[in-house]
Amino acid sequence: MNSPQSTVIFVHSTAHWEAIQKQRAQLLGVKPEPGLIKKEKKAAPPSVKSKRPNVGSEISRRRKRWVNNHPQAVLYAEDLRPPGYIYKHCNTRILEQDTMIKSRPQHIVPTILNRHIRRDLKKTHISQGLVTKFESMLMEFIDTWLDDLEQLDNVYLQIASNNQFERYVVHTLSQYYGLESFNNEVHYEFGGPVGVCAMMIGFPCLMYYFWISLEYHQGRLIYPTSLLQVKPWIVNEIWNKIKVGAYPSLWATQVYMGYVVFSFVLAYCMPGPVVEGLPIPSLNVYVSGILNHQTHRMSGNFVYDYFMGSCLNPRIGPVDLKMWAEIRLPWPVLFYLSLSCLLKQYETYGTVTAPAVFMVLAHFLYVNACQKGEECIPTSWDIFYEKDGFMLIFWNMAGVPFTYCYSSIYLMKYQLTTGRAITHNIFYIASLFSILLLAYYVFDTGNSQKNRFRMEQNGSFIARNAFPQLPWGHIRNPTYIRTEHGNLLLTSGWWGICRKPHYTADLTMAISWGLITGSGSFLPYFYFCFFLCVLVHRVSRDMERCAKKYGSDWEKYCERVPYIFIPYVF
Ligand SMILES: NC(=O)C1=CN([C@@H]2O[C@H](COP(=O)(O)OP(=O)(O)OC[C@H]3O[C@@H](n4cnc5c(N)ncnc54)[C@H](OP(=O)(O)O)[C@@H]3O)[C@@H](O)[C@H]2O)C=CC1
Ligand SMILES: C=C(/C=C/[C@@H](C)[C@H]1CC[C@H]2C3=CC=C4C[C@@H](O)CC[C@]4(C)[C@H]3CC[C@]12C)C(C)C
């Protein structure tokens, strides 16, 4: 995985800043007037040229090169020491006795280079040009923010560099100036820019391909029979069919966009229960003046950021766009599509089959769950973690409604084109209905157990009577693990049995949507396969995130609840 790195220098607080000021004044031999930090501004930043640490002995060539800004002038560990600092007289004890430094808050990095860095620097010849370049950047940054102490809590300077050695120099200089620095490593998911580019092109193409196979081939997957056939196959089988049957017509656009607008107006005027979500990161972040005030976890790569999104919770008025697009758009459309297939069957044959009823029930349960449990959704992963980018928007507006419906469309198209309805024996049908209802029960109560527990914890719990409120959906006096982070991890109910009970239940429902159509086509199983990949990937991302966030508490939780999907199996 490609992981570009950049170095970010942080200044955390006004207190920290004042400490830096005092420190620098002390290093320069200027006595700071207590409480008048701003007044020292002009005197404080040493000009990079005039106050550059002395290098080598006074008559040495090394010193001359350094003083004359020779590009190959080198700097040793001792050169990075504060001026006037004598190595053999300084140790940590002396540092701690120093009143200026003592007055610093605990978290501030000491000014004197630590032994580890000193040892490393001794081995390294650092070019003067490099040091001057980064030192000037730091000086400029310090000067810029001297006048604006109020903003200091959120200010940081980002220095992008893919060179490990350069980053090392920046860290060392930061330490010298009492700034806190750390590497901000961009961790790409989904295969990075190349992976997401492939997905953005591949998903729509795949959907067209599946549409052709459903519309013209009773769900059979089609392919060219020889290499020579590829071009005519693409033109005749794919392109011409899309042009005729799947070109976005004005009527289709009006119907779909009409529904989108209608649904938005409803969300605007009839918002449903209003609950507080989880705290989101501060929006008041300045990043070298480049990013605006709402972007979040940006990689800097346009394609990747376009796919992942930039904002976490964009809104228009009272409508949280992500919630609206995730709940109020795809699931009702999916339900209407299934219902339409059932009505078409009834209109054509005067009767309906059990599999078609099954699909309407399955989609009704899902859409109903999303609406009746709307108040629980702000504490779920997509809302608090995923940003609103191509991935979520495409999947909400196209993927969910127009791929999750393959089972219903397949049942209908198969009957319309062959004249034979897909049916099964009563035992098979009854088993699948039972599996669906049982899985739904675990899915519904699993989600609501965890989300209500979390809502109680953050004080946003509200009781609702929307149908159905299932028994065990709300655990009174639950057991949990209290983490040092402050969050509680539920270990009662389904959550004491495995770590992702709601995923297991959701996947069980997904496979039942395929099984009800028999084994004539892969397409009704596409949702299950796709969803399995999504959830397995999500589990690994989530576990990694939680392990970092909760540390040893997460290990304790994993010991208490060792299985992820199925107890004693996995
Ligand atoms: N049909 C579809 O297309 C999709 C359906 N879904 C369904 O949506 C539902 C919600 O899933 P999703 O949003 O992915 O995940 P969750 O709502 O389970 O969110 C995971 C988060 O829950 C918190 N958490 C994990 N374990 C515990 C615990 N024991 N106690 C308390 N909090 C815990 C952690 O957050 P924290 O950091 O706050 O601790 C974790 O990051 C599932 O049923 C899933 O199947 C999801 C995606 C797509
Ligand atoms: C990822 C997408 C969509 C995800 C949604 C389908 C689920 C996200 C959170 C889920 C739910 C949370 C809590 C619930 C309370 C329960 O009482 C009922 C179920 C539910 C509403 C549950 C339902 C599914 C979610 C809304 C897109 C990108 C496909």
Side-chain angles (χ1 to χ4, degrees):
M1 217 176 275
N2 191 4
S3 290
Q5 277 192 316
S6 59
T7 299
V8 180
I9 316 301
F10 266 89
V11 178
H12 274 284
S13 65
T14 309
H16 182 178
W17 192 253
E18 286 172 1
I20 295 167
Q21 295 284 319
K22 287 176 184 170
Q23 223 167 286
R24 300 179 71 226
Q26 189 208 12
L27 295 176
L28 293 166
V30 181
K31 281 228 157 136
E33 282 178 50
L36 288 177
I37 301 299
K38 280 194 180 186
K39 285 202 171 167
E40 291 163 24
K41 182 194 165 188
K42 296 286 173 252
S47 120
V48 174
K49 277 185 189 145
S50 63
K51 280 294 167 193
R52 189 177 306 124
N54 286 340
V55 166
S57 68
E58 284 205 19
I59 48 158
S60 70
R61 261 201 248 152
R62 192 164 148 245
R63 168 77 71 92
K64 267 192 207 147
R65 277 210 299 268
W66 178 259
V67 170
N68 294 330
N69 277 337
H70 191 284
Q72 274 157 20
V74 293
L75 192 67
Y76 293 111
E78 47 279 30
D79 301 330
L80 281 173
R81 280 189 217 129
Y85 164 78
I86 303 162
Y87 175 64
K88 62 183 173 198
H89 287 154
C90 187
N91 57 34
T92 329
R93 211 171 50 75
I94 293 174
L95 252 183
E96 278 166 7
Q97 280 170 2
D98 184 311
T99 47
M100 295 298 178
I101 295 170
K102 220 176 174 182
S103 67
R104 282 186 334 227
Q106 284 299 303
H107 66 277
I108 292 173
V109 184
T111 324
I112 308 300
L113 301 179
N114 71 28
R115 216 187 307 141
H116 169 71
I117 294 183
R118 241 185 278 135
R119 196 193 52 223
D120 281 359
L121 277 172
K122 263 190 191 152
K123 292 186 213 150
T124 328
H125 287 204
I126 307 172
S127 108
Q128 182 200 342
L130 197 67
V131 174
T132 311
K133 175 178 142 194
F134 290 124
E135 200 178 22
S136 327
M137 282 169 133
L138 292 183
M139 289 301 108
E140 201 181 310
F141 169 69
I142 290 169
D143 282 350
T144 309
W145 291 102
L146 267 178
D147 287 333
D148 206 349
L149 293 176
E150 274 171 26
Q151 295 287 2
L152 277 173
D153 271 349
N154 284 319
V155 176
Y156 61 92
L157 167 70
Q158 185 173 8
I159 300 176
S161 168
N162 285 328
N163 183 313
Q164 200 184 356
F165 182 69
E166 285 189 358
R167 290 199 299 273
Y168 176 70
V169 171
V170 175
H171 286 308
T172 310
L173 284 167
S174 308
Q175 199 175 12
Y176 177 81
Y177 284 110
L179 304 177
E180 236 173 75
S181 64
F182 66 85
N183 275 353
N184 176 21
E185 202 172 317
V186 179
H187 179 70
Y188 282 133
E189 296 175 296
F190 301 103
V194 176
V196 301
C197 212
M199 282 195 240
M200 284 193 280
I201 298 168
F203 278 148
C205 291
L206 196 67
M207 285 178 69
Y208 275 118
Y209 171 75
F210 284 159
W211 170 79
I212 290 169
S213 113
L214 270 173
E215 186 69 23
Y216 300 100
H217 303 275
Q218 289 109 42
R220 263 182 294 110
L221 298 182
I222 49 161
Y223 42 85
T225 44
S226 71
L227 268 182
L228 285 176
Q229 288 287 306
V230 173
K231 200 172 161 204
W233 181 83
I234 292 179
V235 174
N236 300 326
E237 271 298 326
I238 306 287
W239 182 240
N240 287 344
K241 285 187 171 148
I242 290 174
K243 244 182 8 190
V244 175
Y247 199 78
S249 67
L250 183 64
W251 170 238
T253 312
Q254 279 169 345
V255 170
Y256 191 43
M257 291 318 287
Y259 177 74
V260 170
V261 173
F262 174 64
S263 149
F264 183 83
V265 171
L266 285 186
Y268 199 96
C269 307
M270 301 164 69
V274 177
V275 290
E276 230 171 78
L278 296 174
I280 55 170
S282 161
L283 298 179
N284 252 339
V285 177
Y286 290 80
V287 188
S288 302
I290 300 167
L291 305 178
N292 69 36
H293 290 242
Q294 290 199 322
T295 53
H296 180 61
R297 279 189 272 124
M298 300 294 279
S299 79
N301 181 294
F302 175 76
V303 177
Y304 184 76
D305 290 337
Y306 180 75
F307 180 82
M308 298 300 285
S310 56
C311 304
L312 196 55
N313 297 95
R315 301 178 80 88
I316 296 185
V319 182
D320 179 316
L321 292 178
K322 207 164 67 174
M323 270 277 284
W324 161 71
E326 186 165 306
I327 301 310
R328 298 210 178 193
L329 274 184
W331 304 104
V333 173
L334 178 65
F335 171 67
Y336 295 141
L337 282 174
S338 277
L339 189 62
S340 309
C341 292
L342 185 90
L343 294 176
K344 179 77 184 166
Q345 193 181 45
Y346 184 72
E347 184 189 66
T348 316
Y349 303 101
T351 174
V352 292
T353 56
V357 173
F358 179 96
M359 285 316 302
V360 173
L361 174 69
H363 291 166
F364 169 76
L365 288 174
Y366 220 111
V367 66
N368 187 61
C370 292
Q371 315 302 319
K372 68 118 191 176
E374 214 175 14
E375 82 284 3
C376 296
I377 296 169
T379 45
S380 67
W381 166 279
D382 292 279
I383 301 299
F384 75 76
Y385 187 76
E386 290 301 11
K387 294 183 289 178
D388 204 16
F390 179 93
M391 177 175 76
L392 277 196
I393 296 171
F394 176 81
W395 210 248
N396 284 325
M397 298 203 59
V400 171
F402 304 119
T403 66
Y404 291 13
C405 63
Y406 288 159
S407 300
S408 310
I409 307 263
Y410 170 69
L411 289 171
M412 179 194 69
K413 284 278 172 193
Y414 186 90
Q415 191 175 6
L416 288 179
T417 49
T418 64
R420 279 176 283 121
I422 292 175
T423 48
H424 311 282
N425 65 54
I426 184 76
F427 175 74
Y428 187 78
I429 298 272
S431 308
L432 282 181
F433 268 96
S434 313
I435 289 171
L436 175 71
L437 292 172
L438 186 68
Y440 173 77
Y441 173 72
V442 180
F443 162 77
D444 184 321
T445 49
N447 272 302
S448 75
Q449 281 175 359
K450 192 205 73 177
N451 290 299
R452 285 181 176 162
F453 170 73
R454 273 287 159 90
M455 288 164 81
E456 273 178 341
Q457 207 186 313
N458 69 16
S460 65
F461 177 78
I462 49 167
R464 278 189 88 199
N465 295 320
F467 178 81
Q469 292 302 315
L470 300 171
W472 220 34
H474 182 195
I475 306 178
R476 326 256 159 193
N477 306 319
T479 57
Y480 51 79
I481 288 177
R482 184 179 291 281
T483 64
E484 254 181 54
H485 168 281
N487 278 357
L488 311 181
L489 294 170
L490 180 63
T491 54
S492 291
W494 299 115
W495 297 84
I497 297 174
C498 60
R499 274 180 257 157
K500 293 288 177 191
H502 55 342
Y503 284 6
T504 311
D506 216 345
L507 282 167
T508 309
M509 289 200 286
I511 191 122
S512 77
W513 298 9
L515 289 171
I516 198 69
T517 66
S519 55
S521 166
F522 161 74
L523 290 188
Y525 294 89
F526 168 77
Y527 167 50
F528 171 75
C529 296
F530 167 79
F531 197 34
L532 183 67
C533 299
V534 169
L535 292 188
V536 167
H537 181 235
R538 202 175 259 219
V539 167
S540 72
R541 288 164 84 203
D542 194 31
M543 299 282 158
E544 203 179 299
R545 206 186 117 269
C546 288
K548 260 193 214 149
K549 183 170 169 183
Y550 299 124
S552 59
D553 294 320
W554 184 253
E555 284 166 26
K556 222 188 292 167
Y557 169 69
C558 294
E559 266 170 40
R560 164 72 187 77
V561 188
Y563 296 99
I564 300 180
F565 290 114
I566 305 172
Y568 304 105
V569 180
F570 179 64

